[in-house]
Amino acid sequence: MIVEPPGPSTTHYRRTVSETVVYPARRIVTMDPAQPEVEAVAVRDGRILAAGSLDECAGWGDHRIDRRFADHVIVPGMIEAHAHTLEGAFSLLPYVGWFDRHNVEGGTTPGIRTYDALLDRLRQLDAATRGSGEPIVVGGFDPIYFRDEQRLTRDHLDRVSTERPIFVFHASAHLATVNTAMLERHGITRDSPTPGVARGPDGEPNGELQEIPAMALAMSALSIILQKMNDPEAIEVLGQICANQGITTLTDLAAAGLQRPDGQAQWHSIVDREEYPARILQRHIAAIPPGGETWDDAAEAVERLAADDTAKLRTAGIKVVLDGSIQGFTAKMDWPGYYTGTDHGQWMTPPEQLLDICRPFHQRMINIHTHCNGDLTIDLWIDTVEQLVRESAWLDHRHTVQHSQLTKAHHFRRMARLGMCANIFTNHIWYWGDQHHDITIGPERARRMEPCATAEREGVSFSIHSDANVTPLGHLHTMWCAVNRVTPSGRVLGERERISPYSALRAATLGAAHQLHLDGEMGSIECGKAADLTVLDDDPLTIDPMAIRDIGVWGTVVGGRPFAANRG
Ligand SMILES: [Zn+2]
């Protein structure tokens, strides 16, 4: 029997004593400075009983030695502190992104590098499902990579079909491009008043739908995506992707418990099972719940959600979104703004409301993570936290700057004084680093973006993240980016912001646990912590740093239970 460590409520702690299993491994990296490396780890009741030599582990009495990891390297269970459960839903949709991408079977879906390849893929999908009447919906596309092509429009997609509606969802999840059949099905015309219906020089809709209100016009397609998001299979797939990528805990940064409390029952019914391969933390989007009127009502609703927490599915706090994305030119940029392109910077939360929104949560000691992409957002969020702490002395709040792509040294110095954390979007260096250098923010600011070394130097506790499904889930990749800072063109983007493999692994384990207030329970291999382990084929601390992202993943151990990766 697997017994979980105590969650926020000790009623979930089952006291049945299980057998003791000792796992020796080729190398075990603990992230415990008192003993950075051990020979074996003993597990009992879903928790780490001991880490040390084989003899020391045996000293706890009756035990079984399990040698399945004898040739592997064990590190603390990796914690993704910013992802989205869309990662699971997207795996159920055909993929048309630029980069090769892992799939749930453990193989790789090749990227699409030309419009011809995109159109061929759509034609194949049309032929395979002809007669269904359903729109063709694909995901992962990003026009920014196709620099030799004109931006994708309905004219391109009309070459696939003039009858079957097509919806190409962009990787950012903020835009889509549709064909004429889709525009016609939903009566989207030059007279449509909805903002975000992009128009060509002739004033007709060109097929691009920007942001949710415009995409929602193509409801026949959006409803397919929404259906996948609530599909139990998507939650199952998400768990297996976690095992494949060595993630033991995943935080959903857009959980909808405040908007749709009814959806929680399904989450619990799937994730609470012993055989579900990951712990899921829910950071709910700040929203007034049904039947509520004020932000106080919202904060009380978070407390109600937290009352249902289990060891596998828990409330992490709330998320506030301040602006858009840098590569989409919707991030709020301080002077001198974007390097090239047009500034479409958008406040997603009115700045003057931020303090009032956050106050009731802070007063109830509910942790707040705020999405800050552009550098105009960061001072606002730090000022807000400073004011919250002046009003109500919760000093160990660990409120966090999410994405933190353009945070500067002076921001980090203030954040350190205020007890704030950073979660840095290192995967951007690979996925958009060249575009940031050449197009969006220019060379100097691109060299300073994702500033892990500055965060470390200024004493801010930080993690690194994938924002999956925006980029593929997997901490070996986020670490590889933080350590090497190499872009697809071969450029090292800001060599002085590189950090050591040890610091990167710390960010992916203990750093993430800390900003989730869980560093007492996970993030390192120490007696008493959850038996959450990531099992790798090689050692990220001693391998050639450029090979970190290629290290094979055996799988994970979550609460003492092994979960093997699908390996293609
Ligand atoms: Zn996100």
Side-chain angles (χ1 to χ4, degrees):
M1 163 147 217
I2 310 290
V3 180
E4 296 288 349
S9 158
T10 51
T11 55
H12 304 297
Y13 181 38
R14 284 167 279 158
R15 292 182 179 280
T16 320
V17 173
S18 67
E19 69 168 340
T20 299
V21 182
V22 178
Y23 295 105
R26 171 151 66 91
R27 191 167 183 224
I28 300 175
V29 178
T30 63
M31 286 290 133
D32 171 8
Q35 48 168 15
E37 209 180 312
V38 295
E39 201 176 279
V41 53
V43 172
R44 182 193 285 172
D45 297 348
R47 303 169 75 166
I48 292 165
L49 176 67
S53 68
L54 205 48
D55 283 349
E56 287 167 351
C57 288
W60 282 90
D62 282 351
H63 64 277
R64 172 168 66 82
I65 296 180
D66 186 330
R67 295 193 182 275
R68 76 176 84 187
F69 305 137
D71 295 330
H72 290 83
V73 174
I74 295 177
V75 300
M78 290 180 172
I79 301 167
E80 173 53 272
H82 185 153
H84 296 274
T85 53
L86 257 182
E87 174 79 354
F90 256 74
S91 301
L92 306 178
L93 284 177
Y95 173 70
V96 296
W98 176 266
F99 290 94
D100 295 352
R101 190 178 177 104
H102 60 72
N103 55 41
V104 65
E105 293 80 22
T108 302
T109 306
I112 281 188
R113 300 298 179 91
T114 65
Y115 280 4
D116 284 341
L118 170 68
L119 302 186
D120 281 346
R121 180 90 178 97
L122 291 166
R123 285 186 194 105
Q124 287 163 11
L125 291 165
D126 182 34
T129 56
R130 187 146 294 158
S132 85
E134 289 246 303
I136 299 168
V137 179
V138 295
F141 177 77
D142 190 337
I144 202 166
Y145 300 120
F146 296 86
R147 294 189 71 179
D148 300 332
E149 303 268 13
Q150 290 187 325
R151 202 166 168 93
L152 191 76
T153 67
R154 68 175 182 172
D155 297 334
H156 297 102
L157 301 179
D158 286 349
R159 285 188 237 149
V160 175
S161 178
T162 52
E163 288 155 26
R164 184 93 182 262
I166 297 172
F167 186 95
V168 178
F169 200 22
H170 295 198
S172 67
H174 289 267
L175 299 123
T177 310
V178 305
N179 65 347
T180 302
M182 182 67 84
L183 294 172
E184 285 174 352
R185 174 180 281 200
H186 295 285
I188 304 168
T189 67
R190 61 186 299 139
D191 301 321
S192 296
T194 311
V197 177
R199 280 150 171 99
D202 57 358
E204 294 293 327
N206 65 12
E208 187 163 301
L209 305 175
Q210 301 161 344
E211 301 298 334
I212 292 283
M215 287 193 287
L217 296 174
M219 191 37 85
S220 63
L222 204 62
S223 65
I224 290 176
I225 294 168
L226 292 174
Q227 210 176 12
K228 298 246 185 274
M229 282 172 71
N230 294 310
D231 190 331
E233 193 189 347
I235 304 177
E236 297 285 3
V237 162
L238 180 71
Q240 185 59 46
I241 296 174
C242 285
N244 293 354
Q245 298 302 321
I247 301 290
T248 53
T249 294
L250 177 138
T251 316
D252 179 4
L253 262 276
L258 287 177
Q259 296 126 300
R260 292 193 301 277
D262 300 352
Q264 292 297 104
Q266 172 167 280
W267 276 98
H268 276 292
S269 72
I270 296 172
V271 175
D272 286 342
R273 290 173 308 149
E274 279 189 8
E275 59 270 28
Y276 191 78
R279 300 180 201 273
I280 302 289
L281 300 178
Q282 296 183 310
R283 186 169 294 286
H284 298 283
I285 289 280
I288 307 282
E293 283 173 5
T294 65
W295 290 108
D296 267 304
D297 298 333
E300 278 168 24
V302 172
E303 290 181 326
R304 282 197 297 278
L305 291 168
D308 292 333
D309 281 357
T310 61
K312 292 291 274 295
L313 185 74
R314 287 201 206 172
T315 310
I318 63 149
K319 187 218 196 164
V320 177
V321 179
L322 279 186
D323 67 341
S325 73
I326 300 169
Q327 74 276 22
F329 301 94
T330 51
K332 289 300 287 183
M333 294 295 291
D334 201 351
W335 188 90
Y338 289 98
Y339 186 53
T340 69
T342 312
D343 188 340
H344 295 293
Q346 280 186 38
W347 287 112
M348 300 296 190
T349 299
E352 65 280 7
Q353 292 178 18
L354 185 62
L355 182 62
D356 289 339
I357 292 170
C358 293
R359 185 179 288 116
F361 298 103
H362 178 83
Q363 285 173 343
R364 286 171 179 78
M365 295 170 72
I366 295 168
N367 176 242
I368 308 166
H369 286 210
T370 296
H371 160 126
C372 300
N373 265 329
D375 50 6
L376 207 55
T377 59
I378 303 164
D379 284 306
L380 170 67
W381 176 221
I382 297 172
D383 289 346
T384 303
V385 173
E386 185 159 27
Q387 182 60 28
L388 290 170
V389 173
R390 285 166 63 93
E391 291 177 11
S392 161
W394 180 25
L395 300 181
D396 193 23
H397 51 78
R398 310 186 199 185
H399 296 324
T400 294
V401 179
Q402 279 291 351
H403 297 320
S404 203
Q405 300 204 68
L406 296 172
T407 308
K408 294 175 188 164
H410 74 280
H411 294 128
F412 283 120
R413 285 191 282 273
R414 289 188 69 199
M415 289 163 64
R417 298 284 292 176
L418 288 166
M420 296 176 73
C421 301
N423 197 359
I424 301 175
F425 198 169
T426 54
N427 266 8
H428 253 261
I429 294 162
W430 175 253
Y431 288 103
W432 289 281
D434 287 323
Q435 285 71 31
H436 291 314
H437 182 279
D438 299 341
I439 303 172
T440 63
I441 57 174
E444 184 203 341
R445 288 180 295 175
R447 281 194 292 273
R448 262 201 273 108
M449 73 188 312
E450 324 307 343
C452 295
T454 302
E456 191 167 46
R457 193 169 54 240
E458 300 299 347
V460 172
S461 177
F462 67 99
S463 187
I464 52 183
H465 67 277
S466 68
D467 201 11
N469 66 304
V470 175
T471 73
L473 188 68
H475 262 323
L476 290 169
H477 198 281
T478 62
M479 287 174 57
W480 179 85
C481 287
V483 169
N484 297 292
R485 297 184 67 94
V486 170
T487 70
S489 71
R491 168 187 286 138
V492 175
L493 194 66
E495 59 179 23
R496 290 176 187 279
E497 286 296 344
R498 291 184 298 195
I499 56 172
S500 70
Y502 185 88
S503 293
L505 181 60
R506 191 179 192 284
T509 54
L510 211 45
H514 179 259
Q515 63 187 236
L516 292 159
H517 287 270
L518 290 174
D519 49 323
E521 281 182 55
M522 51 182 77
S524 60
I525 299 176
E526 295 176 51
C527 175
K529 287 199 172 182
D532 290 4
L533 310 170
T534 297
V535 185
L536 304 172
D537 291 349
D538 247 310
D539 181 356
L541 304 190
T542 56
I543 200 170
D544 169 6
M546 279 299 285
I548 290 173
R549 66 175 175 178
D550 302 318
I551 294 173
V553 177
W554 179 91
T556 59
V557 174
V558 177
R561 184 176 173 126
F563 293 96
N566 286 337
R567 303 196 70 166

